[in-house]
Amino acid sequence: MLLGSLRAEVLKANLALVRRGVVVFTFGNVSGISRAEGLVAIKPSGVPYEELTVEQIVVTDLDGRVVESNLRPSSDLPTHLALYKAFPNIGGVAHSHSEYATAWAQARRAIPCLGTTHADYFHGAIPVTPDMTPEEIGGEYEKATGEVIVRTFHDLDPDAVPAVLVANHGPFSWGADAADAANNAVILEYVARMATHTLAIDAEAVPASHALLDKHFFRKHGPAAYYGQRGRK
Amino acid sequence: MLLGSLRAEVLKANLALVRRGVVVFTFGNVSGISRAEGLVAIKPSGVPYEELTVEQIVVTDLDGRVVESNLRPSSDLPTHLALYKAFPNIGGVAHSHSEYATAWAQARRAIPCLGTTHADYFHGAIPVTPDMTPEEIGGEYEKATGEVIVRTFHDLDPDAVPAVLVANHGPFSWGADAADAANNAVILEYVARMATHTLAIDAEAVPASHALLDKHFFRKHGPAAYYGQRGRK
Amino acid sequence: MLLGSLRAEVLKANLALVRRGVVVFTFGNVSGISRAEGLVAIKPSGVPYEELTVEQIVVTDLDGRVVESNLRPSSDLPTHLALYKAFPNIGGVAHSHSEYATAWAQARRAIPCLGTTHADYFHGAIPVTPDMTPEEIGGEYEKATGEVIVRTFHDLDPDAVPAVLVANHGPFSWGADAADAANNAVILEYVARMATHTLAIDAEAVPASHALLDKHFFRKHGPAAYYGQRGRK
Amino acid sequence: MLLGSLRAEVLKANLALVRRGVVVFTFGNVSGISRAEGLVAIKPSGVPYEELTVEQIVVTDLDGRVVESNLRPSSDLPTHLALYKAFPNIGGVAHSHSEYATAWAQARRAIPCLGTTHADYFHGAIPVTPDMTPEEIGGEYEKATGEVIVRTFHDLDPDAVPAVLVANHGPFSWGADAADAANNAVILEYVARMATHTLAIDAEAVPASHALLDKHFFRKHGPAAYYGQRGRK
């Protein structure tokens, strides 16, 4: 079996989304990439999570051609591929329709960085894409979804803000590998829940100071990080 | 035992409502129809879900006469029958008092189609019935409930929008069979939750574009569908 | 052991509150009464639910004197006793600090009857008590809590509306026996959740029509009831 | 192993936070102090809760020097130490990013004492710290976090109000020991949830009367307490 360990990791990351409560039914999908081999492993389309096996994880090349599987890949594959091509450091992509992050996407509002939980993982607001045009929607829709995400990041660092809200659709997140991408999907949902409650408590709540956000992000990320154990992510 | 496999399917769909968290106590009921035999299988009235057996599922004809059972059918049976008569393609009906969908019914507001999760299953807003008159309420109430639903769909396609909110009461949904009807009840609740949060984030949130909604609905439904695996729903 | 079966029933009803998610830690208590013997069985004060045994359920007379137990009864006992004395048909009382019902109590707002879920169990709004005076609070507080509830029902039928919100405190409910009282506590919480969401969707939402509320209440209660199975509550 | 029973207690209190649903991933930490020995036991930094063992609990002195462990202590240790030094009666400290309490911290709003659930544990509003200055954030940040908490309590009794919200960050709580500190973290989250819902029901809701708050707090705390069993907390 091609890419056995990557597929196992992708399976595990998909199941983590279910266990962490960010997907219901067959919503959502996680992929991982082997940059050395130019191959991507992704969840098959519409297969219930409880039935999912390592063998069913679909392997494709970077043009989306299935290399090994008799199942169709997730229909969102072209979005994942666009992200892998544009964001060279990422090793995994996750997509969910998680309840609160999706609500922000439906409201077409970026999630402001209201506190340190957010800043521990995302260095600034989670952006929302502009609306897609009827042409983009009517053409290669899933590929265009990836492209509108990439355009949204034209002046943002995808390694510092590893998530986005696709307007009227839902969140995509990414990370060093499939597990990290799924983790970011879970954190994003948690951050979205808390931002929703914060607005309910005070509709005029404002983002935390830049000093505080920098402190928390760089406490966990980059050369000066001191959170966690050495040699452990 | 008459209609053994239909009853088993109806039992399973009723229990799915519980497992998916959309019913508490004895609220809610699911039925399925055998169009060939003109018989309907439905949950008995007021029996706790944890005790429910295949034998207890009540079989009636299309006039609501019990054909096999010594238990009373769900008191909502006449509503189910009215839907089976008016909507010729449906094979199952589900009713719940799920938390957020019922809140929309209590607010007497249609659930706007705010995003692709909604559009994947329902082609447009989930309508709300008009108030029932004192005459309808005082007469054959459950039958009249079915009739007010049918009137609400006089210019809507029940196969494209397989759910409704009965004003000040709660949701009814339907589908190809009992399992599909129950599934739609669960999705409806999820969509209702997200719509509530969306309004909390932005009270002025507007529906997604028609282009996006059509794209998502027809990606999963009808001859051009390409979501999921071939030969698998 | 005195009143063995009543104590067992009271234990079971207390544990039902935990299982149904309406209490955390040692909040909440359920009691039951034997009217023939003039004795009440109630949860001991401050004992964790997971440790609770039948033997620990405290039996007292109607003046609150402990008849059998070496544990103190719940400090809310005098409230329960006041309700048993004033409401002659009730056989059980439950008190919780359930999340949403308590929020309504904290807002000092009656829960309007917005739909049929509410009307199936409570014939009209769930009233809220007036504020207690410093004298009432500083004196026999728990007894005075019962008295303010009784005064709140001076023109209400406690058998038709088996619950109340004590202002800035939380809900009390009652019923035919301890199990029924606990059941009403769970339904009340569910109704309170849905009412909260209904207001979030439409701040101007109004109660359902009297015709609809009467229909649902009397479909389940009284001589014309036709919900459920004959001979089964 | 140094301080075996304190470490076991600290481990148990950390796991209680997970079981009670107030932490996700590695967010949050609980510590306990042995005042006789001048040593503190605290969760290691960034270790998943499911892997945590008694041996991994880090022991430090009151200056934060690790006395026994090859793991780093939680990066929030200096905050805990500042609280132990300033609040002489406390034996445990807990920190979480629990969903609703953190939302109040993000809104930079004190949680008003709206009812008796709150008053049973906290004698008045849960205060929120002022914003930290860029100098405090850029210097010894975690120590400065402790200091801003202590300043917030300059005219408050930390034994009567055993919790605080750090602005744009989240809650800290404390108590007689690690278990009590963790308990207060759970109660605080519950109180924060109910306060949020109360404002949703009535944006103008006001705190309960002083008479009611005193009654409930002193019913459970201090020499006149009569809640619970004698000789049992």
Side-chain angles (χ1 to χ4, degrees):
Chain A
M1 187 174 63
L2 206 57
L3 299 180
S5 68
L6 181 64
R7 281 158 100 155
E9 187 195 312
V10 165
L11 172 63
K12 195 175 166 189
N14 273 286
L15 296 180
L17 286 194
V18 180
R19 198 179 64 248
R20 295 286 187 177
V22 298
V23 300
V24 292
F25 290 116
T26 62
F27 299 166
N29 42 71
V30 185
S31 71
I33 189 171
S34 165
R35 297 234 173 230
E37 301 172 82
L39 296 176
V40 167
I42 192 166
K43 180 170 168 282
S45 182
V47 173
Y49 284 91
E50 53 267 38
E51 300 176 9
L52 210 55
T53 64
V54 173
E55 289 71 27
Q56 288 178 327
I57 300 297
V58 181
V59 175
T60 78
D61 66 19
L62 282 168
D63 294 320
R65 280 183 293 259
V66 174
V67 173
E68 187 170 280
S69 182
N70 44 26
L71 293 175
R72 291 182 191 176
S74 165
S75 53
D76 294 314
L77 173 64
T79 313
H80 293 234
L81 296 177
L83 299 181
Y84 285 125
K85 286 174 186 165
F87 303 159
N89 299 326
I90 70 176
V93 171
H95 172 48
S96 86
H97 287 207
S98 69
E99 190 173 325
Y100 282 82
T102 300
W104 283 86
Q106 293 189 158
R108 294 188 293 182
R109 295 265 294 262
I111 304 177
C113 187
L114 296 168
T116 62
T117 321
H118 183 132
D120 278 342
Y121 290 87
F122 306 101
H123 192 234
I126 310 298
V128 62
T129 65
D131 289 354
M132 293 173 73
T133 64
E135 291 68 36
E136 288 172 325
I137 292 167
E140 293 184 76
Y141 168 64
E142 290 83 3
K143 186 179 176 190
T145 300
E147 290 166 352
V148 75
I149 294 172
V150 173
R151 284 203 307 278
T152 303
F153 274 76
H154 76 279
D155 59 357
L156 285 172
D157 175 1
D159 299 326
V161 181
V164 71
L165 306 173
V166 177
N168 295 114
H169 186 156
F172 280 82
S173 59
W174 46 86
D177 51 28
D180 196 32
N183 242 26
N184 285 337
V186 176
I187 300 289
L188 175 60
E189 174 63 10
Y190 195 68
V191 162
R193 295 178 76 94
M194 295 204 300
T196 308
H197 307 326
T198 303
L199 290 193
I201 295 163
D202 182 355
E204 309 299 318
V206 294
S209 72
H210 281 287
L212 188 62
L213 302 184
D214 283 354
K215 176 69 190 177
H216 269 262
F217 189 74
F218 295 115
R219 189 169 87 149
K220 292 189 79 164
H221 302 270
Y226 60 94
Y227 180 92
Q229 304 301 327
R230 283 178 201 86
R232 183 166 193 155
K233 208 169 45 180
Chain B
M1 188 176 61
L2 205 58
L3 298 180
S5 69
L6 180 64
R7 282 158 100 156
E9 186 194 312
V10 166
L11 172 63
K12 195 176 166 188
N14 273 286
L15 296 180
L17 286 193
V18 180
R19 198 179 64 246
R20 295 287 188 178
V22 298
V23 300
V24 291
F25 290 115
T26 62
F27 299 165
N29 43 69
V30 185
S31 70
I33 189 171
S34 164
R35 297 235 174 231
E37 301 171 83
L39 295 175
V40 166
I42 191 166
K43 180 170 168 285
S45 182
V47 173
Y49 284 92
E50 52 267 39
E51 300 176 9
L52 210 56
T53 64
V54 173
E55 289 71 27
Q56 289 179 324
I57 300 296
V58 181
V59 175
T60 77
D61 67 19
L62 283 168
D63 294 321
R65 279 183 295 258
V66 174
V67 173
E68 186 169 281
S69 182
N70 45 25
L71 293 176
R72 291 182 191 175
S74 166
S75 53
D76 295 313
L77 173 65
T79 313
H80 292 234
L81 295 177
L83 299 181
Y84 285 126
K85 286 174 185 165
F87 303 160
N89 299 327
I90 70 176
V93 171
H95 172 48
S96 86
H97 287 207
S98 69
E99 190 173 326
Y100 281 82
T102 301
W104 283 86
Q106 293 189 159
R108 294 187 292 182
R109 295 264 295 262
I111 304 177
C113 187
L114 296 168
T116 63
T117 321
H118 183 131
D120 279 342
Y121 291 86
F122 306 101
H123 191 233
I126 310 299
V128 62
T129 66
D131 289 354
M132 293 174 72
T133 64
E135 290 69 35
E136 288 171 325
I137 292 168
E140 294 184 75
Y141 168 65
E142 291 82 5
K143 186 178 177 192
T145 301
E147 290 166 352
V148 75
I149 294 172
V150 172
R151 284 204 308 277
T152 303
F153 275 75
H154 76 279
D155 59 357
L156 285 172
D157 176 0
D159 299 327
V161 181
V164 70
L165 306 173
V166 177
N168 295 114
H169 186 157
F172 280 81
S173 59
W174 47 85
D177 52 27
D180 196 31
N183 242 25
N184 285 337
V186 176
I187 301 287
L188 175 61
E189 174 63 9
Y190 195 68
V191 161
R193 293 179 77 94
M194 296 204 300
T196 308
H197 307 326
T198 303
L199 290 192
I201 296 163
D202 182 355
E204 310 299 318
V206 293
S209 72
H210 282 286
L212 188 63
L213 301 185
D214 284 353
K215 176 68 190 177
H216 270 263
F217 189 75
F218 295 116
R219 190 169 87 147
K220 291 189 79 164
H221 302 268
Y226 60 94
Y227 180 91
Q229 304 301 327
R230 281 178 203 86
R232 183 168 193 154
K233 205 167 49 180
Chain C
M1 188 175 63
L2 205 59
L3 297 180
S5 68
L6 180 64
R7 282 158 100 156
E9 187 194 311
V10 166
L11 173 63
K12 195 175 166 189
N14 273 286
L15 297 179
L17 286 194
V18 180
R19 198 179 65 246
R20 296 286 188 178
V22 298
V23 300
V24 292
F25 291 114
T26 61
F27 299 166
N29 42 71
V30 185
S31 70
I33 190 171
S34 164
R35 296 227 175 238
E37 301 171 82
L39 295 176
V40 166
I42 191 166
K43 180 169 167 285
S45 182
V47 173
Y49 284 93
E50 53 267 37
E51 300 176 9
L52 211 54
T53 64
V54 173
E55 289 71 27
Q56 290 178 325
I57 300 296
V58 182
V59 175
T60 78
D61 66 19
L62 282 169
D63 294 320
R65 280 183 293 259
V66 174
V67 173
E68 187 171 280
S69 182
N70 44 27
L71 293 175
R72 290 183 191 176
S74 167
S75 52
D76 294 313
L77 173 64
T79 313
H80 292 235
L81 296 177
L83 299 181
Y84 286 126
K85 286 174 187 166
F87 303 160
N89 299 326
I90 70 176
V93 171
H95 172 48
S96 86
H97 287 206
S98 70
E99 190 173 326
Y100 283 81
T102 300
W104 282 87
Q106 293 190 158
R108 294 187 291 181
R109 295 264 295 261
I111 305 177
C113 187
L114 296 167
T116 62
T117 321
H118 183 131
D120 279 341
Y121 291 86
F122 306 101
H123 190 234
I126 310 298
V128 63
T129 65
D131 290 354
M132 292 172 74
T133 65
E135 290 68 36
E136 288 171 325
I137 293 168
E140 293 185 76
Y141 168 64
E142 291 82 3
K143 186 178 176 191
T145 300
E147 290 166 351
V148 75
I149 294 173
V150 172
R151 285 204 305 278
T152 303
F153 275 76
H154 76 279
D155 58 357
L156 285 172
D157 175 1
D159 299 326
V161 181
V164 71
L165 306 173
V166 177
N168 295 115
H169 187 158
F172 281 81
S173 58
W174 46 85
D177 52 28
D180 196 31
N183 242 27
N184 284 339
V186 176
I187 301 288
L188 175 61
E189 174 64 9
Y190 195 68
V191 162
R193 295 179 76 94
M194 297 204 301
T196 308
H197 306 327
T198 303
L199 291 193
I201 295 163
D202 182 356
E204 310 299 319
V206 294
S209 72
H210 282 287
L212 188 62
L213 301 185
D214 284 353
K215 176 69 190 178
H216 269 263
F217 189 75
F218 295 115
R219 189 169 86 148
K220 292 189 78 162
H221 301 269
Y226 60 93
Y227 179 92
Q229 305 300 328
R230 281 179 204 85
R232 183 168 192 152
K233 206 168 48 180
Chain D
M1 188 174 63
L2 207 56
L3 299 181
S5 69
L6 181 64
R7 281 158 101 156
E9 187 195 312
V10 165
L11 172 63
K12 194 175 167 190
N14 273 285
L15 297 179
L17 287 194
V18 180
R19 198 179 65 248
R20 296 286 189 176
V22 298
V23 300
V24 293
F25 291 115
T26 62
F27 298 166
N29 42 71
V30 185
S31 71
I33 189 171
S34 165
R35 296 231 174 234
E37 301 172 83
L39 296 176
V40 166
I42 191 166
K43 180 170 167 283
S45 182
V47 173
Y49 285 92
E50 52 267 37
E51 300 176 9
L52 211 54
T53 64
V54 173
E55 290 71 27
Q56 289 178 328
I57 300 296
V58 181
V59 176
T60 77
D61 65 19
L62 282 168
D63 294 321
R65 279 183 294 259
V66 174
V67 172
E68 187 171 280
S69 183
N70 44 26
L71 294 175
R72 291 182 191 176
S74 165
S75 52
D76 294 314
L77 172 65
T79 313
H80 293 233
L81 296 177
L83 299 181
Y84 286 126
K85 287 174 186 165
F87 303 159
N89 299 327
I90 69 175
V93 172
H95 172 48
S96 86
H97 286 207
S98 69
E99 191 173 326
Y100 282 82
T102 301
W104 282 87
Q106 293 190 158
R108 294 187 292 182
R109 296 264 294 262
I111 305 177
C113 188
L114 297 167
T116 63
T117 322
H118 183 131
D120 279 342
Y121 291 86
F122 306 101
H123 191 234
I126 310 298
V128 63
T129 65
D131 290 354
M132 292 173 74
T133 64
E135 290 68 37
E136 289 172 325
I137 293 167
E140 294 184 75
Y141 168 65
E142 290 83 3
K143 187 179 175 190
T145 301
E147 290 166 352
V148 75
I149 294 173
V150 172
R151 284 204 306 279
T152 303
F153 275 75
H154 76 279
D155 57 357
L156 285 173
D157 175 2
D159 299 326
V161 181
V164 71
L165 306 173
V166 177
N168 295 116
H169 186 155
F172 281 82
S173 58
W174 46 85
D177 53 27
D180 195 32
N183 242 27
N184 284 338
V186 176
I187 300 287
L188 175 61
E189 175 63 10
Y190 195 68
V191 162
R193 296 179 75 94
M194 297 204 300
T196 308
H197 307 327
T198 303
L199 290 193
I201 295 163
D202 182 355
E204 309 299 319
V206 294
S209 72
H210 281 286
L212 188 62
L213 302 185
D214 284 353
K215 175 69 189 177
H216 269 263
F217 189 74
F218 296 115
R219 190 169 86 149
K220 292 190 78 164
H221 302 269
Y226 60 94
Y227 180 92
Q229 303 300 327
R230 280 178 203 86
R232 183 166 193 154
K233 206 168 46 178

